[in-house]
Every structure is written in structure tokens, then in C-alpha cells.
Amino acid sequence: MNESKKFHLWIPDEEVIQVAKSPTSRTTPRDVVFSEHGHKLSTGLQLIKQRIEETTRDNSLADSDLYIFKVELPEGEKVQYKSELFAKNGMQVNVVKDERSAVVSTTRQQFQILKNRVEAYTRKGVGKTHFDYIEDFKPYLGSEKNSNELKRTVYLQQPPETLDIQLMFVPNLGSAIYESAVNKVVEKIIQNNGQIQEAPYYLSDNTPVIRAIIPSTTLTRYENDSAIYRIEETHFFSAEADDNTPISSSPFELNPDVDINSLPIVVVLDSGVIFNSPVESLVMQHWIAPASNGGDCDHGTKVASRIAFNYLGEQLLTGMLNPRARIIDCNILDGNVPENVLIKRIQLAVNEFAETAKIFNLSANASIPIEGDEMSIIGYELDALQLRKNVQFVVSAGNHNLWKTETSIEDILDDDESRISAPADSMLSIVVGSVVGATHAGSIAEKNIIAPYSRRGPGFAGFSKPDMSAYGGTVVVSPDGSIVPNDSFSLVMTKDGHFVPDAGTSFTAPIVAGDLAEVLSITPNNDILLAKALLYHNAKPIWEEDDIDDDELILAHNLYGKGLSAVNDSKYSSPSRVTFVRTGTLNRLTKERVKIYMPAILAAQTGRNVAKVTVTCVSMPPVDRTKGNQYLGAYIRASLKKSHPDGRLLPVQQETKEGRRKWDVCHQFSKLFSQFHAGDWQVWLELFSRWDDTNVNVPYALVVTIEDMSNTLDVYSEIEALNRYRALNTIRIRVDA
């Protein structure tokens, strides 16, 4: 190996201090007049009963003895801390809408008991410890169940005659109730001239969903059905590739020094892959989803070529292609595929190949932006699969067509239509946007600017998306039409073996998927979470980092994610840049203090900004779609402590909060130092959880880099000489059965 390339250093258990933690919570007393507040609550309960009785004919739960309604807590209170309040009053929390409101269910008998208790509270203040902390009871019926997209459609001056919708049932009702309610809803659809599309299907949390085409005039029949939680228009996903003119290229061959059989594997979930000679050997297997007609392989082949070869432009000049990954071709896109069908096909593909490959590339998006207040159905299903199967999805951010009508990149970014589209709201997937790789006359975006077509964040619940960016082609608009110029970053391979320029986040997501595969190849036991953390940790910002404030950094992250992937830095340390890594699990009863050695040779340096420390902690927390914007069940907070000669550890203050947000899957920050002391520094890791009745262990991967900014000191050798840390290539992580 090149002497400038050093293996990262593994942090052993001996360098980690375990600290017990006792979770605490406090309740703030409320100053309310119980007689007035009780009257408000009684009115709300009476309205719930009245509305349910008025809509009995549409209520698929009418025979089930259940009332479904909404409970709102006061400002500052959170549903997650009020489980006792709900349980003692006979209410089951079925769905959390946001941190202080929930959709609940109770029996008719228990509902009457609740009314009686509220009346006693109104008269005498009985139950103050509970009812003071309920702001209101409200019906959960009507148009508030509709997605914003559906509301816009039905409120048009001339709404369409029919709607292709997905009816999501209220979660957590139980199989017997679901069986009865689903049958009743199916009957109602048929009786009201609707058409069932495919059989009802179940999400990973066992919530039923029915896709149907209904007359738009009958929508209220489903809005007023207590069994239905949410109604949204069906999203369709396709893989479309432009038919561009091939460029002339000389013959090429595969690098004979590359052992193809040792290359990492990426699954391509697309329209099919056809590689011609001499690259056909890179495709390990072809698989077509059951009940699929099979795609045309146009789009899928282009995507696969980016995974296998990174950027083709410069390689073609040499006549030698350097493959970096093998491909499993999963042909799942055969035209406009509805969301329910696509989910099933993805699940089948992951079940088939999760033991063979850890990385799945999906370059297909809905045509409209996310709303952001609810996790998309497909976004949740990708997260559920990643947790269940320990795989990693790499997903495109999506494309828009605003560049056809707007004249500046600023106007495009100001338009809400440029926001990311499903499944790019998936919290556990790596979502990839596009950055212009070369400046071309006629393009409204120059090099190192977000591509004119690339969707931007924020993602679900305001979190930063995309996660990463990669260079891609741009679009040039002229009176004669639009073209994708030929450059090193726009070329892709076609199923005919030609090379054409093409652009879209479809072709930058596979760049990152291939990069991730390269990084995965150096991790112990093919640890996909560690590979992801290394990729995030070493991403190169393409914005000016000096004196940036939180607002500017949030904007940068919503355009570019953490930056451009840097494969070599992700795979290797260097003499002046030392990376420590560790994986483990945390729960709400344990904290870890991870020791990192700051060498004397670096501490002795004088001047301004002589050293930089960067910390990244990526976790795999549980997710729950029924918890609204409280979707993530945990997050891990990372903080840095520096040593002092008197033995104390001093906190390291950060200039910005961005990158260290609560309830995100990645905590990341860096700090420049001018003066500091050698010795053991520490990274403190602490997990915060919600919703967990049990003590769940959450996997994490930690990456810490110490860097000599002068790039002249051999920091690596001084740390290596301690014999406290082992080179990553010598580590084998024990896998528990």
C-alpha cells in the first residue's frame, strides 16, 4: 500500500468508559380554572359523540364498539411523557400527530366513563393531575385526513371525476377489527362505483392500506369513516432515460489487474441492466420481480454504469475502464409503477439478496415534492427494511422541471416545487442530490452549484436532506430545446454499449452507492453502518466554511447534504490525518466516554488553527410511522472534551448547532484548535429515547479524525507507537448470533 495511506485505527473496549444513566422527567404544574377548563373538555367530548353518531352509515367501526378521536395537550407538553394520563382514562394512543396531539381509541363504555370523570372535574376539580394536562378533545373526521396534495386536487374549480387514492387505516387497532373494517371499506368502495386496485396490503407496522379509484364526489364517505386515518393520492414511480446522441469513443477494455470476483456488490433496483462485452461479467445475476413485465433496461443500465465505473469521461480517454463494484440486476420498474406495487417488489428483492449484498440503489422518485409533516409510505417501508435486514438504501433526491420555465437557480430554489420527493424523505437511507460538475454556456448553474434539476431539502419534519451530493451533468436550454452537454461528469453507458451524456439525480445516487461499496470493502465484517459513517465523516463541503452561521449552514445542508464523497479519505488515514473508528450499541441507561489520544507532537505546534478535530456518530434508531413528526425513537448526542494538565476535561464549544440536531440519525461537528494540551481527550456519547417501554439497544458507528492542518507532521506514527489502538485491517468484530 502507498506509504501515505494508513489504515484507520480501531478504538477497543479498553479505551471506553461505561457510565450508568438514570432517565428523569418533570411535570410543570398548570394554572387553570378547572370549572372553565372542564366545560371546554365536556363540550369537546359531546361534539365527538355527536359527529360519530351523524356519520354512522360511513363508519366501518360502527359495530366494533370503538370511538376514535383526537386529544390535544397544552403548549410545552408532550404525548410521549403522558402515557399514564392516557392509560388511566382508558385511551389507547393509536397515532401521534405531533409532539402534543394524538389520535386515540376507546370503547363506548370507557368513553362514557371519561365523560363522567370530566364532569366531576368540572364540578369539583376531581382529576386535576390528569385533566389539567389535556387542552382539548376533538373529533377526528373530515377533510383533515386528506394529504395537502389531495386537498389541492379536490378544491380545484373542476376537480377530476375520479381519484386514485390510498386509504390508510388507523394504526394499532388489532387484526380482528382490521379484518372487519377492511371488508366494510371494500364493500363501500364497490357500492359507490369505485374500483379496488390490487388487494389490500399491510405496512411493516401491520397497518392496512387500500388503493382504489373512486368517484371524487364520494370522497367524504371515506373522510367520515372512523377506521380511516389518512387519505392520499397514489404516487407512481418510473425509470425514464433520455434518448441522447451517443458520442464517438475508442475501443476500451477492463483493467486486467482488477479481480472482478473480489469486488463489492450493489443491487440495482431499476428497469433492468444490460452490459455488453467486455463488461457483462460485472453483472452477477438478473432478477425480475414476480408479476412484472420487465423494464426496458435503458435507465437501469445507465445507473449501473455509474455504480460500476464512477465517472466514465476520463477513463474513456485512456481506453481502460476500472471497475469498482459488481451488480445484481433487480428489474422492478416496468413503466409507471404504483407505490403499493413498488413497495412489494422492493421487499421481495431485499429478502432475496440481503444475505449477498448490503447496498441497494433506488433511482426512482415520485413526481411531486413531499409535504414533510407525515413520513411517506414508501419512505417508511425503506426505513423498516433497513432496520430489519441491516442493509443500506442509496436513494436519489428526485428531479423537477422548473429549469424549463425559470431563469435563475435562486428562483428555482425559492419554489416549493423543488423540494425533495418520496422516498427521499427516508431517514435511514442515504439521499443523494446533484451538483454541476462543469460550467457550460447556457446553463443557469455553474460548477459546484446545485444542478438545475436537482431537488433540495428540507426533508421530513424539517431535517436536512439530501445527505450527500455528487457531480453530475447539467442542462443547457436554447430556442431549439434542451440538451445535456458532454463532459467528464455526464457520460453514462447505454444497453447498446454506447456512451451518452445524461443528467439527473438518478445518475448521482449510483456514484455514492459505488463510493459506499468501496468504503464497505475495508470495514470489518462488511459493517455497513461503519461504512456509512466513514462516508459521511469525510464528505467535502463545497461551501465556504469560515465564519458560517447556523442559518447559512442549514441552507448549505439542504442543498448539498454533507458535501461530496471523498472515497480515499473514507478508506484511509495518512501520516498527518488520523482517523479513529468504533462501533457499538447504546441504550437509555448507559453512556459512553470514548478516549482519543491527542499527540504531543501536534500540541507543541504554534500558530493559528494548527489542528482540526472532526466527530461523526451515525446511529440506527427504531422508527415508528404512527408517531408523526416524532418518527425517530432515539438519537445519540456526541460531544467533545479536551484534556487539561490538572486532569480535568474541558467541554469544547461549537460555533453552530447545525449538524448536532436532536432526533437526527447523524451527529457531526468539527473544531479548529490553536492552543491545546496533549493527552487523552474524550468523546461523550449519550442516547436519548422516546416511546420505548423497554431498554432498546441502538447500534452506532463513531468516527473521529485528528488532523495536522500544516500537513507536515507524522501524527499517525506517534499515536501508533502507543499500542493502544489497532489498525482497522487487523480487526474482526464479533457478531452475536
Side-chain angles (χ1 to χ4, degrees), residues 43 124 344 351 417 477 493 530 552 579:
T43 301
K124 303 177 182 179
K344 182 177 181 180
N351 288 335
E417 290 299 310
V477 180
M493 185 183 294
L530 179 56
E552 294 169 328
T579 294

Side-chain angles (χ1 to χ4, degrees), residues 317-487:
L317 294 176
T318 67
M320 184 79 70
L321 297 186
N322 294 289
R324 59 174 181 164
R326 290 175 289 168
I327 303 298
I328 292 178
D329 164 28
C330 284
N331 193 329
I332 66 170
L333 293 170
D334 56 347
N336 283 325
V337 181
E339 189 168 15
N340 59 312
V341 175
L342 182 61
I343 289 170
K344 182 177 181 180
R345 292 177 179 179
I346 292 172
Q347 290 171 336
L348 290 170
V350 172
N351 288 335
E352 182 75 18
F353 296 109
E355 296 299 320
T356 306
K358 291 294 184 184
I359 303 170
F360 290 74
N361 187 93
L362 179 62
S363 290
N365 299 82
S367 60
I368 62 170
I370 64 166
E371 295 178 5
D373 57 337
E374 293 262 356
M375 173 60 64
S376 68
I377 294 175
I378 190 170
Y380 164 68
E381 289 300 328
L382 293 191
D383 285 343
L385 275 171
Q386 287 171 105
L387 285 167
R388 190 164 65 245
K389 293 292 188 178
N390 190 31
V391 296
Q392 181 63 58
F393 281 95
V394 181
V395 177
S396 51
N399 307 319
H400 57 74
N401 290 316
L402 294 171
W403 54 271
K404 293 182 178 179
T405 55
E406 300 290 357
T407 57
S408 73
I409 196 70
E410 291 78 15
D411 289 342
I412 287 176
L413 299 178
D414 284 341
D415 196 315
D416 290 340
E417 290 299 310
S418 66
R419 192 176 183 182
I420 63 166
S421 56
D425 52 349
S426 162
M427 289 293 288
L428 303 183
S429 297
I430 299 174
V431 177
V432 184
S434 294
V435 174
V436 173
T439 298
H440 292 274
S443 172
I444 59 176
E446 299 178 345
K447 180 179 174 64
N448 285 333
I449 299 296
I450 185 172
Y453 50 81
S454 184
R455 292 188 176 274
R456 47 82 181 165
F460 167 72
F463 288 102
S464 295
K465 287 288 179 179
D467 299 296
M468 301 281 291
S469 290
Y471 283 129
T474 189
V475 182
V476 170
V477 180
S478 69
D480 299 327
S482 60
I483 63 166
V484 176
N486 173 24
D487 59 43

